[in-house]
Structure formats: C-alpha cells, structure tokens
C-alpha cells in the first residue's frame, strides 16, 4: 500500500493570510468606531481624527489619531497625567477667543484603551471564527 503525500502548506498559508487581512480590517474598524464613541466631543476634531490602517504585508493593524489632543485625551496632562509625570502646580493659558484660564491639567479619558478593553473578548472570538471559516472554505 503506497501512501501519497500532498503538500498544502502554500494553500494553508495563503488562507491564513487572507483570514488575517479580513480580520484585521474588521477588528480595527470596530476599534475605531468604539474609540470615536468614547471620545469627548467639544468641536469634534479629536473624535473625527481617529482612523485605522492595516499593513497587509506585515499583517498588523493600527488604530489611532495624528491629532495632538488625542494624546492628551488618552493620557491626560499636568497633575492628572496617567503616569504621574505631568507638570505640577498648574499653569495659565489663552484660549482661541483670547480668554485666559488657569488649569492643573486634563484628566485622561482613555477612549482608545476603553475601546480595546471593552472589545477584547469579542475581537478574540471573532479572530477564531474568521480563521476557522477561511480554513474550512479551502
């Protein structure tokens, strides 16, 4: 009795890569949406600045903002900075209308962290589903 070996490594690798790309777009889109829902809205600038990107070659996804205030919203400033390493003692600043204000900083709202924390289980489960569906389809 002869045993024949069929090498499916390339097909399996392609199916896994395809599943990963589908999953990354889905997961990053979900995280972006939840982060925007968590974001404070004054002008909408920070909320609207969140986006995601997927590197389909490296199979990595990124969710975030290139807007400076998003960093302050996530980690806080001054005496309220998340790691306690902000400026102490408060400071004065002028707003866009020319009015002066005194502050000790901004409390971290953590919209991205809260989005990830609330969706982590759902995203993990979905990764398993997508991979299983793609491999069974092959």
């Amino acid at each position: 009795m002869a045993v024949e070996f069929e090498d499916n490594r390339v097909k399996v690798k392609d199916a896994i890569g395809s599943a990963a790309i589908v999953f990354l777009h889905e997961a990053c889109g979900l995280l972006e949406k939840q982060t925007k829902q968590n974001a404070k809205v004054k002008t909408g600038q920070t909320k609207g600045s969140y986006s995601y990107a997927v590197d389909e070659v490296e199979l990595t996804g990124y969710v975030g903002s290139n807007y400076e205030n998003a960093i302050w919203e996530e980690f806080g400033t001054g005496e309220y900075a998340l790691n306690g390493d902000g400026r102490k003692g408060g400071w004065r600043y002028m707003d866009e209308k020319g009015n002066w204000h005194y502050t000790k900083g901004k409390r971290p709202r953590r919209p991205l962290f809260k989005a990830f924390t609330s969706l982590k289980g759902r995203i993990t489960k979905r990764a398993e589903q997508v991979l299983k569906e793609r491999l069974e389809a092959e």
Side-chain angles (χ1 to χ4, degrees), residues 27-138:
C28 290
L30 192 60
L31 281 168
E32 176 191 349
K33 180 180 177 183
Q34 186 61 53
T35 301
K36 286 180 175 182
Q37 288 175 351
N38 293 348
K40 181 180 175 182
V41 179
K42 185 174 180 180
T43 66
Q45 220 169 355
T46 303
K47 180 177 183 169
S49 72
Y50 289 101
S51 63
Y52 80 88
V54 172
D55 183 331
E56 295 183 1
V57 174
E58 295 293 322
L59 297 180
T60 53
Y62 306 90
V63 180
S65 170
N66 60 359
Y67 188 55
E68 187 175 25
N69 189 57
I71 295 169
W72 303 336
E73 286 290 310
E74 193 66 36
F75 298 107
T77 64
E79 295 183 9
Y80 307 114
L82 191 61
N83 297 322
D85 55 357
R87 181 183 349 181
K88 308 293 185 236
W91 64 93
R92 293 177 52 79
Y93 70 96
M94 184 187 302
D95 66 19
E96 60 277 350
K97 295 179 182 177
N99 298 317
W100 284 95
H101 302 273
Y102 175 80
T103 186
K104 290 186 176 188
K106 178 185 242 181
R107 295 184 190 278
R109 297 182 55 82
R110 312 291 317 267
L112 186 55
F113 176 79
K114 288 177 182 175
F116 176 76
T117 302
S118 69
L119 295 171
K120 184 178 177 181
R122 185 172 159 194
I123 289 172
T124 302
K125 187 178 275 187
R126 184 63 183 141
E128 294 169 1
Q129 290 172 338
V130 170
L131 185 59
K132 183 178 180 184
E133 289 167 6
R134 290 290 172 137
L135 289 176
E136 287 176 351
E138 289 298 317

Side-chain angles (χ1 to χ4, degrees), residues 11-23:
K11 284 176 70 175
V12 169
K13 184 178 177 184
D14 289 345
I16 291 171
S18 174
I21 291 167
V22 167
F23 164 72

